[in-house]
Amino acid sequence: MLIHNWWLVVKHAWSIRLIIVAGVLSGGEVMLPLVQDLLPIPHGVFAGMSGLVACGAFIARIVAQSKVSGGTDEN
């Protein structure tokens, strides 16, 4: 069952935004072997950044955001 304000959460929650960024970075890690000749980026860079962003998403998930949870934060 979805929460009553699920669309508001999808539109405004920083955790959702950061999860999307982590997904894009994970895709970048998968695509890296295809562009290795054009971009000399070491393996694991995108994966490491994705992990850091995912940690940020975890923190953002537990921080009150006024547009989403009715808290006092202006995010």
Side-chain angles (χ1 to χ4, degrees):
M1 179 174 217
L2 295 175
I3 59 173
H4 72 283
N5 63 341
W6 70 270
W7 183 244
L8 192 65
V9 172
V10 170
K11 285 175 48 178
H12 296 288
W14 277 101
S15 58
I16 298 294
R17 294 172 185 173
L18 290 171
I19 289 168
I20 291 169
V21 171
V24 169
L25 290 170
S26 292
E29 183 70 23
V30 171
M31 298 299 291
L32 193 57
L34 300 175
V35 296
Q36 191 67 39
D37 294 336
L38 301 172
L39 301 170
I41 299 172
H43 290 284
V45 170
F46 286 117
M49 291 184 344
S50 177
L52 290 173
V53 172
C55 290
F58 174 79
I59 293 168
R61 179 64 186 101
I62 60 175
V63 172
Q65 299 173 47
S66 63
K67 289 184 179 180
V68 178
S69 61
T72 59
D73 194 314
E74 291 298 322
N75 290 334

